[in-house]
Amino acid sequence: MKKKPNILFLMSDQHRADVTGYEGNPVIRTPHLDRLASTGAVFRNAYTPSPICIPSRQSMMAGQFPRTTGCETFGQDLPPGHMTFARRLSQYGYQTVVSGKLHHTGTDQMMGWTRRICGDMQTEPGYIEGKQEDEYAKYRVPSQKWPQPKEVSRAGVGRGQCISHDEYALEGALQFIDDYFNSTYYDREQIQPLLLKVSFLQPHYPYFTSEEKFTYYLNRVSPNFNEPLFDHPFLSKFRVHAGVDATERDIRRATAAYYGMIETIDGYFGQVMAALEHVGQNLDDWIIIYTSDHGEMLGEHGVWEKQKFFEASARVPLIIRYPAGFQGGRTLEENVNLCDLFATICDLCGIPAPEGLDSRSLEPLMAGDSAGWDNETVSQFGGTNLMIKRDHLKYQYYDTDGSEVLFDLARNKEETVNYMADPQYAEAVAQFRERAKELRF
């Protein structure tokens, strides 16, 4: 029987796709991600299934859209025992190990992982014994985050809880690698194939970084100051107005800190890969995946954080490297989704994917065959907001007020014009509306 490949799944939180060297950002230093990109497949149009942490992560793990999983908002989780790609691989003999953030909030904190080294930063009442979330609202601890203007104004040099958590997750991963491959006690060859996920919180706010990185980026970044708000009640939320909500210097400091956090996790990824090579692993035989759960507005359109269907928030970095399986050094433009990773991992490992997935294998695209690809992807937020992207058109529906937005990225990549009323898009709009009904919106 052919030996199944080991998998290294690297993940961050809130990393917007264009703050990477391989996407052409002239300021950020990401040598390790750039190396993966130069020898792997880069998906330039990869999107989150939900532009917020929990639904995005659980949809990715389940290979299903948020409406399918029932995990559509921040305080929910997958039902206990739900099928995830970690559970599927463990059924087929994989050791499934994670160090770092998973963001489960319910009673099933493993969700198919056979070993968790470093747990999450926080948990909230979520899916508990099949009961409704609101039954536990009175026990919920208030959020510790500041409003967006205060998060920006407090940014700069410091540590923050994300940094301490990530240092712990990194150390756990490095110790595991040494124990698993190089145990001086048992001194035996690896028997089981391994899925190792290393998942960091940075560059999620609070925006803090080291003094060295902060001072390097402070006068190199190009902050977004007072960009005009988009005329929509939801897309204009989370505004930070320079000179009113925060100073321009505050915004520059927050941007520099964000860049520093990205460089930090890039260095962590480098340490993990170096540790694997140190114990004799040939990374050309490994499947290596890098992604993030969603992006960061970083002041574009005058707003910060995530939740929006703008490119800065909804598009994510996605690299898959597997020299033993496909030729690298390629950039793919098709619309894909984090949900697609479930079927892709199964396909690359020769494992049958379970029924009921919204996931599509990316393996044909990586092999150069895009003939049968349906160039559509979907993102949802909060059970009320929907995005459908087909080719270069991005349609949005907001159930709270029935409003609709249509962007044409080929015509207006800045996403400043709503083309819903333009007659030339009438047929496309009708198709998007039908698709929204199919998605139960």
Side-chain angles (χ1 to χ4, degrees), residues 390-438:
R390 176 169 287 280
D391 298 327
H392 52 84
L393 297 181
K394 188 158 60 169
Y395 167 83
Q396 301 160 61
Y397 172 73
Y398 296 87
D399 189 49
T400 50
D401 59 4
S403 62
E404 297 170 292
V405 175
L406 181 68
F407 292 140
D408 184 341
L409 298 181
R411 188 175 172 186
N412 175 233
K413 66 179 182 180
E414 297 82 11
E415 299 180 293
T416 57
V417 179
N418 183 2
Y419 291 102
M420 280 299 301
D422 191 322
Q424 69 175 293
Y425 297 97
E427 183 178 350
V429 167
Q431 294 173 353
F432 279 126
R433 286 171 173 168
E434 284 300 312
R435 180 64 173 135
K437 290 178 183 177
E438 294 174 3

Side-chain angles (χ1 to χ4, degrees), residues 9-46:
F9 196 116
L10 303 172
M11 193 166 184
S12 62
D13 194 316
Q14 209 156 308
H15 182 186
R16 56 182 286 160
D18 61 357
V19 187
T20 53
Y22 67 84
E23 279 224 359
N25 189 298
V27 175
I28 191 67
R29 299 182 292 191
T30 53
H32 302 291
L33 291 179
D34 297 348
R35 179 164 64 97
L36 289 179
S38 67
T39 54
V42 175
F43 293 85
R44 287 293 300 273
N45 288 291

Side-chain angles (χ1 to χ4, degrees), residues 256-270:
Y258 181 79
Y259 271 58
M261 295 165 86
I262 291 172
E263 182 179 336
T264 296
I265 58 167
D266 181 84
Y268 290 169
F269 296 146

Side-chain angles (χ1 to χ4, degrees), residues 17-80:
D18 61 357
V19 187
T20 53
Y22 67 84
E23 279 224 359
N25 189 298
V27 175
I28 191 67
R29 299 182 292 191
T30 53
H32 302 291
L33 291 179
D34 297 348
R35 179 164 64 97
L36 289 179
S38 67
T39 54
V42 175
F43 293 85
R44 287 293 300 273
N45 288 291
Y47 289 85
T48 179
S50 183
I52 193 169
C53 297
I54 295 178
S56 170
R57 289 170 178 272
Q58 309 327 342
S59 290
M60 180 190 72
M61 290 300 304
Q64 298 171 318
F65 295 134
R67 184 135 297 185
T68 309
T69 66
C71 179
E72 299 189 70
T73 64
F74 185 79
Q76 296 175 323
D77 198 357
L78 299 173

Side-chain angles (χ1 to χ4, degrees), residues 363-393:
E363 195 276 336
L365 296 180
M366 294 185 289
D369 180 12
S370 60
W373 188 256
D374 182 5
N375 202 28
E376 176 188 283
T377 193
V378 173
S379 187
Q380 303 168 9
F381 174 76
T384 59
N385 304 346
L386 170 70
M387 181 200 88
I388 307 170
K389 184 171 185 249
R390 176 169 287 280
D391 298 327
H392 52 84
L393 297 181

Side-chain angles (χ1 to χ4, degrees), residues 63-353:
Q64 298 171 318
F65 295 134
R67 184 135 297 185
T68 309
T69 66
C71 179
E72 299 189 70
T73 64
F74 185 79
Q76 296 175 323
D77 198 357
L78 299 173
H82 198 88
M83 179 57 70
T84 64
F85 67 72
R87 179 165 277 123
R88 189 61 167 177
L89 264 62
S90 69
Q91 291 174 339
Y92 282 81
Y94 270 79
Q95 178 85 278
T96 57
V97 181
V98 60
S99 185
K101 182 175 182 177
L102 291 179
H103 222 157
H104 292 306
T105 62
T107 54
D108 187 353
Q109 290 287 307
M110 296 300 286
M111 282 293 173
W113 297 96
T114 56
R115 183 172 177 183
R116 288 188 69 178
I117 300 168
C118 170
D120 289 310
M121 182 176 66
Q122 60 181 350
T123 57
E124 302 86 12
Y127 192 104
I128 302 178
E129 305 296 338
K131 296 181 180 180
Q132 294 298 315
E133 173 196 1
D134 56 9
E135 293 186 40
Y136 301 93
K138 63 184 177 181
Y139 301 109
R140 186 159 300 168
V141 177
S143 172
Q144 296 183 32
K145 80 169 295 297
W146 297 113
Q148 283 73 26
K150 196 166 186 177
E151 291 285 0
V152 169
S153 64
R154 290 177 67 93
V157 177
R159 286 185 53 79
Q161 53 192 344
C162 292
I163 295 173
S164 57
H165 175 278
D166 287 353
E167 290 173 346
Y168 181 37
L170 174 64
E171 182 60 29
L174 296 178
Q175 288 189 17
F176 169 79
I177 289 169
D178 187 57
D179 291 342
Y180 191 75
F181 291 102
N182 226 20
S183 171
T184 56
Y185 181 78
Y186 286 107
D187 192 24
R188 61 190 180 195
E189 188 177 346
Q190 177 195 1
I191 300 173
Q192 282 184 279
L194 173 67
L195 163 62
L196 173 61
K197 183 179 183 184
V198 185
S199 183
F200 298 120
L201 288 172
Q202 296 177 82
H204 192 289
Y205 58 80
Y207 309 105
F208 286 117
T209 193
S210 68
E211 183 174 3
E212 186 277 328
K213 293 183 179 69
F214 179 77
T215 54
Y216 177 83
Y217 287 112
L218 183 61
N219 296 312
R220 286 182 167 90
V221 295
S222 299
N224 297 303
F225 296 132
N226 287 336
E227 290 200 353
L229 297 176
F230 191 83
D231 186 18
H232 186 274
F234 186 79
L235 292 174
S236 60
K237 289 179 65 176
F238 302 156
R239 181 185 189 184
V240 178
H241 187 186
V244 178
D245 302 313
T247 68
E248 287 194 357
R249 191 64 172 172
D250 290 336
I251 292 172
R252 177 175 290 278
R253 289 170 62 87
T255 305
Y258 181 79
Y259 271 58
M261 295 165 86
I262 291 172
E263 182 179 336
T264 296
I265 58 167
D266 181 84
Y268 290 169
F269 296 146
Q271 289 186 57
V272 171
M273 290 186 285
L276 287 169
E277 291 175 323
H278 177 76
V279 297
Q281 291 300 298
N282 181 358
L283 294 184
D284 286 350
D285 295 331
W286 283 60
I287 299 168
I288 303 179
I289 300 170
Y290 171 67
T291 194
S292 192
D293 51 0
H294 50 74
E296 158 69 64
M297 290 303 300
L298 208 65
E300 272 195 34
H301 298 281
V303 298
W304 282 70
E305 298 187 23
K306 57 265 189 163
Q307 302 186 9
K308 309 298 187 292
F309 294 134
F310 290 121
E311 291 289 278
S313 170
R315 190 168 75 92
V316 294
L318 177 59
I319 305 169
I320 302 179
R321 182 185 188 272
Y322 185 30
F326 59 86
Q327 183 179 358
R330 302 177 61 233
T331 298
L332 304 173
E333 300 293 341
E334 287 81 6
N335 293 321
V336 303
N337 196 284
L338 292 183
C339 283
D340 296 329
L341 289 175
F342 193 139
T344 303
I345 291 171
C346 287
D347 208 1
L348 293 175
C349 296
I351 292 172

